[in-house]
PDB file of all heavy atoms in Angstrom:
ATOM      1  N   VAL A 191      57.281  32.020  60.504  1.00 93.00           N
ATOM      2  CA  VAL A 191      56.221  31.123  60.017  1.00 93.00           C
ATOM      3  C   VAL A 191      55.258  30.921  61.179  1.00 93.00           C
ATOM      4  O   VAL A 191      55.682  30.585  62.287  1.00 93.00           O
ATOM      5  CB  VAL A 191      56.799  29.759  59.562  1.00 93.00           C
ATOM      6  CG1 VAL A 191      55.673  28.821  59.129  1.00 93.00           C
ATOM      7  CG2 VAL A 191      57.779  29.946  58.407  1.00 93.00           C
ATOM      8  N   GLU A 192      53.962  31.160  60.925  1.00 91.00           N
ATOM      9  CA  GLU A 192      52.958  30.998  61.987  1.00 91.00           C
ATOM     10  C   GLU A 192      51.949  29.945  61.559  1.00 91.00           C
ATOM     11  O   GLU A 192      51.809  29.648  60.374  1.00 91.00           O
ATOM     12  CB  GLU A 192      52.215  32.323  62.229  1.00 91.00           C
ATOM     13  CG  GLU A 192      53.109  33.394  62.806  1.00 91.00           C
ATOM     14  CD  GLU A 192      52.382  34.731  62.979  1.00 91.00           C
ATOM     15  OE1 GLU A 192      51.250  34.877  62.465  1.00 91.00           O
ATOM     16  OE2 GLU A 192      52.953  35.613  63.640  1.00 91.00           O
ATOM     17  N   SER A 193      51.220  29.392  62.536  1.00 88.00           N
ATOM     18  CA  SER A 193      50.203  28.391  62.205  1.00 88.00           C
ATOM     19  C   SER A 193      49.091  28.420  63.235  1.00 88.00           C
ATOM     20  O   SER A 193      49.277  28.895  64.360  1.00 88.00           O
ATOM     21  CB  SER A 193      50.829  27.001  62.181  1.00 88.00           C
ATOM     22  OG  SER A 193      49.829  26.036  61.935  1.00 88.00           O
ATOM     23  N   ASN A 194      47.916  27.876  62.831  1.00 83.00           N
ATOM     24  CA  ASN A 194      46.801  27.735  63.767  1.00 83.00           C
ATOM     25  C   ASN A 194      46.946  26.440  64.571  1.00 83.00           C
ATOM     26  O   ASN A 194      46.141  26.147  65.440  1.00 83.00           O
ATOM     27  CB  ASN A 194      45.470  27.712  63.000  1.00 83.00           C
ATOM     28  CG  ASN A 194      45.405  26.557  62.011  1.00 83.00           C
ATOM     29  OD1 ASN A 194      46.428  26.026  61.589  1.00 83.00           O
ATOM     30  ND2 ASN A 194      44.214  26.147  61.644  1.00 83.00           N
ATOM     31  N   CYS A 195      47.976  25.628  64.264  1.00 84.00           N
ATOM     32  CA  CYS A 195      48.243  24.375  64.986  1.00 84.00           C
ATOM     33  C   CYS A 195      49.631  24.491  65.620  1.00 84.00           C
ATOM     34  O   CYS A 195      50.485  25.196  65.092  1.00 84.00           O
ATOM     35  CB  CYS A 195      48.251  23.198  64.016  1.00 84.00           C
ATOM     36  SG  CYS A 195      46.712  23.011  63.117  1.00 84.00           S
ATOM     37  N   PRO A 196      49.876  23.776  66.732  1.00 87.00           N
ATOM     38  CA  PRO A 196      51.198  23.885  67.377  1.00 87.00           C
ATOM     39  C   PRO A 196      52.314  23.417  66.439  1.00 87.00           C
ATOM     40  O   PRO A 196      52.195  22.373  65.803  1.00 87.00           O
ATOM     41  CB  PRO A 196      51.085  22.953  68.592  1.00 87.00           C
ATOM     42  CG  PRO A 196      49.622  22.726  68.793  1.00 87.00           C
ATOM     43  CD  PRO A 196      48.959  22.886  67.461  1.00 87.00           C
ATOM     44  N   LEU A 197      53.380  24.225  66.344  1.00 90.00           N
ATOM     45  CA  LEU A 197      54.534  23.893  65.494  1.00 90.00           C
ATOM     46  C   LEU A 197      55.762  23.692  66.364  1.00 90.00           C
ATOM     47  O   LEU A 197      55.890  24.313  67.419  1.00 90.00           O
ATOM     48  CB  LEU A 197      54.846  25.049  64.530  1.00 90.00           C
ATOM     49  CG  LEU A 197      53.815  25.435  63.485  1.00 90.00           C
ATOM     50  CD1 LEU A 197      54.291  26.680  62.740  1.00 90.00           C
ATOM     51  CD2 LEU A 197      53.588  24.297  62.501  1.00 90.00           C
ATOM     52  N   ASP A 198      56.709  22.863  65.886  1.00 91.00           N
ATOM     53  CA  ASP A 198      58.037  22.853  66.496  1.00 91.00           C
ATOM     54  C   ASP A 198      58.721  24.154  66.057  1.00 91.00           C
ATOM     55  O   ASP A 198      58.358  24.726  65.025  1.00 91.00           O
ATOM     56  CB  ASP A 198      58.841  21.644  65.990  1.00 91.00           C
ATOM     57  CG  ASP A 198      58.340  20.343  66.625  1.00 91.00           C
ATOM     58  OD1 ASP A 198      57.571  20.430  67.597  1.00 91.00           O
ATOM     59  OD2 ASP A 198      58.698  19.257  66.128  1.00 91.00           O
ATOM     60  N   PRO A 199      59.740  24.639  66.799  1.00 90.00           N
ATOM     61  CA  PRO A 199      60.360  25.925  66.428  1.00 90.00           C
ATOM     62  C   PRO A 199      60.948  25.903  65.012  1.00 90.00           C
ATOM     63  O   PRO A 199      61.409  24.862  64.535  1.00 90.00           O
ATOM     64  CB  PRO A 199      61.463  26.109  67.476  1.00 90.00           C
ATOM     65  CG  PRO A 199      61.095  25.199  68.597  1.00 90.00           C
ATOM     66  CD  PRO A 199      60.310  24.063  68.013  1.00 90.00           C
ATOM     67  N   LEU A 200      60.950  27.071  64.372  1.00 91.00           N
ATOM     68  CA  LEU A 200      61.507  27.251  63.025  1.00 91.00           C
ATOM     69  C   LEU A 200      63.021  27.020  63.081  1.00 91.00           C
ATOM     70  O   LEU A 200      63.693  27.541  63.966  1.00 91.00           O
ATOM     71  CB  LEU A 200      61.215  28.690  62.578  1.00 91.00           C
ATOM     72  CG  LEU A 200      61.495  29.084  61.143  1.00 91.00           C
ATOM     73  CD1 LEU A 200      60.542  28.353  60.199  1.00 91.00           C
ATOM     74  CD2 LEU A 200      61.298  30.586  60.961  1.00 91.00           C
ATOM     75  N   GLU A 201      63.559  26.227  62.151  1.00 93.00           N
ATOM     76  CA  GLU A 201      65.017  26.006  62.101  1.00 93.00           C
ATOM     77  C   GLU A 201      65.564  26.603  60.818  1.00 93.00           C
ATOM     78  O   GLU A 201      65.122  26.245  59.726  1.00 93.00           O
ATOM     79  CB  GLU A 201      65.320  24.504  62.096  1.00 93.00           C
ATOM     80  CG  GLU A 201      65.174  23.843  63.453  1.00 93.00           C
ATOM     81  CD  GLU A 201      65.540  22.352  63.385  1.00 93.00           C
ATOM     82  OE1 GLU A 201      66.490  22.012  62.640  1.00 93.00           O
ATOM     83  OE2 GLU A 201      64.858  21.566  64.062  1.00 93.00           O
ATOM     84  N   TYR A 202      66.544  27.529  60.939  1.00 94.00           N
ATOM     85  CA  TYR A 202      67.156  28.113  59.741  1.00 94.00           C
ATOM     86  C   TYR A 202      68.275  27.204  59.239  1.00 94.00           C
ATOM     87  O   TYR A 202      69.010  26.625  60.026  1.00 94.00           O
ATOM     88  CB  TYR A 202      67.704  29.512  60.051  1.00 94.00           C
ATOM     89  CG  TYR A 202      66.616  30.534  60.233  1.00 94.00           C
ATOM     90  CD1 TYR A 202      66.287  31.033  61.494  1.00 94.00           C
ATOM     91  CD2 TYR A 202      65.879  30.993  59.136  1.00 94.00           C
ATOM     92  CE1 TYR A 202      65.262  31.961  61.662  1.00 94.00           C
ATOM     93  CE2 TYR A 202      64.860  31.917  59.289  1.00 94.00           C
ATOM     94  CZ  TYR A 202      64.561  32.401  60.548  1.00 94.00           C
ATOM     95  OH  TYR A 202      63.546  33.314  60.702  1.00 94.00           O
ATOM     96  N   LEU A 203      68.388  27.102  57.909  1.00 93.00           N
ATOM     97  CA  LEU A 203      69.380  26.194  57.325  1.00 93.00           C
ATOM     98  C   LEU A 203      70.620  26.940  56.828  1.00 93.00           C
ATOM     99  O   LEU A 203      71.584  26.325  56.402  1.00 93.00           O
ATOM    100  CB  LEU A 203      68.757  25.420  56.153  1.00 93.00           C
ATOM    101  CG  LEU A 203      67.491  24.617  56.487  1.00 93.00           C
ATOM    102  CD1 LEU A 203      66.941  23.944  55.247  1.00 93.00           C
ATOM    103  CD2 LEU A 203      67.794  23.560  57.557  1.00 93.00           C
ATOM    104  N   ASN A 204      70.568  28.296  56.811  1.00 92.00           N
ATOM    105  CA  ASN A 204      71.751  29.055  56.371  1.00 92.00           C
ATOM    106  C   ASN A 204      71.813  30.381  57.127  1.00 92.00           C
ATOM    107  O   ASN A 204      70.835  30.790  57.760  1.00 92.00           O
ATOM    108  CB  ASN A 204      71.737  29.272  54.847  1.00 92.00           C
ATOM    109  CG  ASN A 204      70.501  30.044  54.391  1.00 92.00           C
ATOM    110  OD1 ASN A 204      69.643  30.413  55.197  1.00 92.00           O
ATOM    111  ND2 ASN A 204      70.403  30.307  53.102  1.00 92.00           N
TER     112      ASN A 204
END
Side-chain angles (χ1 to χ4, degrees):
V191 177
E192 293 177 349
S193 177
N194 60 338
C195 301
L197 296 175
D198 286 347
L200 189 67
E201 283 182 37
Y202 288 106
L203 304 178
N204 60 359

